Amino acid sequence: MFRSRSWFGSGGLWKPKNPHSLEHLKYLYNVLSKNQTVSENNRSLLVETLRSIAEILIWGDQNDSTVFDFFLEKNMLSFFLKIMKQKCGSYVCVQLLQTLNILFENIRNETSLYYLLSNNHVNSIIVHKFDFSDEEVMAYYISFLKTLSLKLNSHTIHFFYNEHTHDFPLYTEAIKFFNNSESMVRIAVRTLTLNVYRIHDKSMLKFIRDKTAAPYFSNLVWFIGNHVYELNGCIRDNAEHEVRIKLADIVAEHLDHLHYLNDILCLEIDDLNQVLTEHLLQRLFIPLYVTSLGKGAMDARSKTPKVSSILSLFLLSQVFLIMTHAPLVRLLANILINGNESIFQFKPEVTPPKLRLSSISTMEMDNSEESSSNLSNENITLEDTSGGINHKNDVESMQEDRISCSSAEATIDKLKAIEELYFQTNPNVTDLTQRIILSSIFESMDTTENDYAPLFTLCLLHALYDNSGIDAELLNTFFHGGIVNLDPESERTSRRAYNDQLVDRLIAIICLGVKYESKVRVITLQLLSSLLLRLAIKDPPTSVLDDAHLALIEGAREENILLLQNYYKTDEMFLEVFEDEYLEMSAAKPLSIEHLMMDSNLLLPPVGSPLTGIAFDKRLPCGEVERSRRSIRVYFLLRKLSLTLRKESEKYLPLTNPQNCVHIDENLDLRNLNLIVANSDMLSCVVITRDNVRTRRFLVVDVFQLILVDPSNKQMGWGVVKFVGFLQDIEVLGDKDDSRCLHITVKTSPTNQRSSQSKTPLLAAKFLFDDQIRCMAAKQRLMKGKQKARQGKLHLIAKLLDLTGSSPSPQLNLRRPNQKFLVNYEFTE
């Protein structure tokens, strides 16, 4: 007659049966009231109570407004604060943060959200000193802050940012963890800051610019700089491809940084963009990325540690691929193209050192002197890198940052000063005597040893060409309008259609790339071909390439053909390899520079071993078979380049166009077949598969295909194609026990547009004919057809490789347009 003790709470109240009700919340309130002091005895009870409160509040938000009214009337959030202020241990803290996170993540009613935020308890929770050494506490805390940031809008921002006291704990507490060791935490901080920047509140944005932008962006740039040094060390220490996973993680992290910076710039907040642009240019891009390119990069006089020129090209390529903020990319592109020797004497205000941002106090700043002292006493710990530039005291530099960032005009003036001091004003971009950076970029295109540096140089040039933020006139001058003096004694000048020196270097790579032991990878030649077409094809399809340059390309193509002629004569599988490489290149997706530059393997020296798992076009060939494959791919690239420059269309490839073949489920007029020998080539047989399934079919032997036809039951004299395979891929064996049987296997052919590398045969079955004579006739014609099919394609390849005196024949069409029957192919001499 008595209820179980489990029905009693600490306060002696009955526990309601319905967990989703106002009465249940009242019961939970009494539990909290009676257990305000955390102990070992009630710890589990409090955790379960907190979990239940979140559940009922979410239910009340959608079903019963009185639930939230009671929650706010009793000021139940204050219990959360009281519990946190005690040494309750991570077990309770984690549940508290989890409860808050679930609560704010699931509330949909704006009024309920405003009620929760109205008493400032949330800000008190944000600034509470949690034990962040506990990874679980850290994870739930940062997740809670990110959830709050997702609730920011023009109305809720005022619950977090106090305009009168200049206090914004949600933002200032979050940015303390921008360089946390956990990637999840760093990503959450970046997400939170972007959510804050998206709110168009002038007072809040002014606070961020004047009080936090300079120290935050400065430390962020330092952190990225240190990350670049780590990347450089990883490349240097793992030249043998030993720790590729670590390298991939570092590259991915760096790309995340650049995308984050670009996201900030794309918000088009002028004040923030000016501060960020100045920090990026003066403290990262110019002193580290740009100056690492030239010969003066490792000058003993330079106290700034540099990175390898390979990494510098990679980093600059990523900048132009990802960022499009006009003031930033225009100035940086101008430095690369017009920068003079003075750029190596560039002295940044602060060098990117190793840093540890331990905390940024919640800044309560106003216009008084106390505000200035608070800023100067920010607890930002910085540790200098050995070998770094001697710089001023960090606190002093931050004060200078604040002063310099307080005026948009000051930032613009600084950028203009850079432009005036370090730029070459001579408009002739072909004059490299004073353009030290551009000269270094051109020199990096030397492929005498390998294409390690030229690959990234080509990526950089593509990135410059495609960047929409760079001044079109600058790009046009560099790529298409180099000024050349016709007469040194006169002022007359003429404009070339393209940059001669650049094209000379591109063609030099092609000439080295066609040689037998060339160290130029296929991907490099693909990038080169694409860039060369951009320079030479001004108004498609008109080519403006000089005859001399075109002759050099044709000469390189002829050298490649001579190399292929040797493989043609000695390789028995040359036909299969030729077709396979053509179809693999044809089926490949269009070359994406951005996707290519995400491959961290390219940062390591080129290797030839297939055991590395690197794609064939991104590594050097290993052995004669791969050298043959590479030469074939180079042939296709140069053939396409040559045809495009000569305004000609492809007429001979592929060797067999699948669109002109017979296809499965196609209807054929069996009465009008024009076959190789006679109508008897259409032989009736029973096809027996490995599963012992027997089907009656007509076997049709065409010029290049084996076709199995099922006679139509609806239309006399017609049949439906049930299977097709190329004769060059068949194997035919007789049956020792039955003279009427043939074992026919049709292998997976490179001419089939395959989606996988499966080697499973297309068909492996026993063919049972009516008698021994028909069986022998079928075997003879299949073998004869296979031989003729291979001879026909090899004959066409021979003509493509100039092994005969005549021009190549048109591609092999198995069917003529508007005709329902198969036709013979006749070779033209």
Side-chain angles (χ1 to χ4, degrees), residues 79-116:
F79 289 106
F80 291 21
L81 278 171
K82 290 178 182 178
I83 293 173
M84 281 190 298
K85 289 178 181 178
Q86 302 175 49
K87 294 183 178 180
C88 56
S90 62
Y91 181 51
V92 178
C93 277
V94 166
Q95 184 58 56
L96 271 169
L97 292 171
Q98 187 179 24
T99 298
L100 290 168
N101 193 31
I102 294 174
L103 181 60
F104 280 96
E105 189 173 1
N106 291 278
I107 284 182
R108 297 292 179 264
N109 189 298
E110 287 191 2
T111 304
S112 300
L113 178 63
Y114 294 161
Y115 284 160
L116 280 176

Side-chain angles (χ1 to χ4, degrees), residues 90-186:
S90 62
Y91 181 51
V92 178
C93 277
V94 166
Q95 184 58 56
L96 271 169
L97 292 171
Q98 187 179 24
T99 298
L100 290 168
N101 193 31
I102 294 174
L103 181 60
F104 280 96
E105 189 173 1
N106 291 278
I107 284 182
R108 297 292 179 264
N109 189 298
E110 287 191 2
T111 304
S112 300
L113 178 63
Y114 294 161
Y115 284 160
L116 280 176
L117 297 174
S118 59
N119 52 18
N120 206 41
H121 285 320
V122 172
N123 285 328
S124 299
I125 294 171
I126 292 173
V127 298
H128 177 73
K129 302 300 181 183
F130 290 96
D131 180 14
F132 294 122
S133 61
D134 188 308
E135 293 181 359
E136 198 171 7
V137 172
M138 165 60 81
Y140 279 109
Y141 175 76
I142 205 69
S143 179
F144 171 55
L145 296 188
K146 186 179 75 170
T147 299
L148 290 176
S149 73
L150 295 173
K151 299 295 180 181
L152 289 176
N153 55 43
S154 57
H155 303 293
T156 59
I157 187 64
H158 302 293
F159 293 109
F160 296 98
Y161 169 61
N162 190 325
E163 184 176 354
H164 301 290
T165 61
H166 297 288
D167 190 18
F168 194 3
L170 175 63
Y171 177 75
T172 55
E173 291 296 319
I175 61 177
K176 297 175 185 178
F177 306 102
F178 83 97
N179 66 337
N180 189 272
S181 59
E182 291 292 329
S183 61
M184 183 274 292
V185 175
R186 298 195 299 270

Side-chain angles (χ1 to χ4, degrees), residues 659-663 666-670 672-675 702 718 813-825:
Q659 295 179 353
N660 297 325
C661 296
V662 176
H663 300 285
E666 188 171 344
N667 292 322
L668 291 180
D669 187 353
L670 303 179
N672 295 316
L673 288 174
N674 183 15
L675 301 171
D702 180 50
W718 288 77
N813 296 331
L814 300 188
R815 300 175 59 201
R816 292 175 182 169
N818 303 322
Q819 236 177 344
K820 287 294 183 181
F821 54 86
L822 304 179
V823 299
N824 291 331
Y825 177 79

Side-chain angles (χ1 to χ4, degrees), residues 661-692:
C661 296
V662 176
H663 300 285
I664 295 177
D665 294 331
E666 188 171 344
N667 292 322
L668 291 180
D669 187 353
L670 303 179
R671 299 165 299 180
N672 295 316
L673 288 174
N674 183 15
L675 301 171
I676 295 178
V677 179
N679 289 339
S680 60
D681 276 350
M682 186 176 69
L683 301 173
S684 176
C685 62
V686 176
V687 181
I688 307 172
T689 63
R690 292 178 177 177
D691 300 330
N692 205 29

Side-chain angles (χ1 to χ4, degrees), residues 204-218:
M204 182 269 293
L205 292 175
K206 185 177 185 300
F207 163 80
I208 289 176
R209 177 192 165 96
D210 293 344
K211 313 298 183 182
T212 69
Y216 175 57
F217 288 152
S218 176

Side-chain angles (χ1 to χ4, degrees), residues 86 133 190 261 304 336 385 429 439 578 599 619 623 675 802:
Q86 302 175 49
S133 61
R190 293 197 287 262
L261 295 173
T304 306
L336 295 182
T385 303
V429 295
S439 176
F578 189 88
D599 189 351
R619 62 176 173 84
L675 301 171
D802 298 332

Side-chain angles (χ1 to χ4, degrees), residues 598-633:
M598 293 171 64
D599 189 351
S600 60
N601 292 319
L602 296 176
L603 283 170
L604 299 175
V607 294
S609 174
L611 299 179
T612 58
I614 301 174
F616 176 66
D617 60 344
K618 297 177 183 177
R619 62 176 173 84
L620 300 174
C622 178
E624 284 303 310
V625 174
E626 290 197 345
R627 282 196 178 94
S628 172
R629 291 179 58 197
R630 179 193 175 278
S631 297
I632 291 172
R633 292 199 181 196

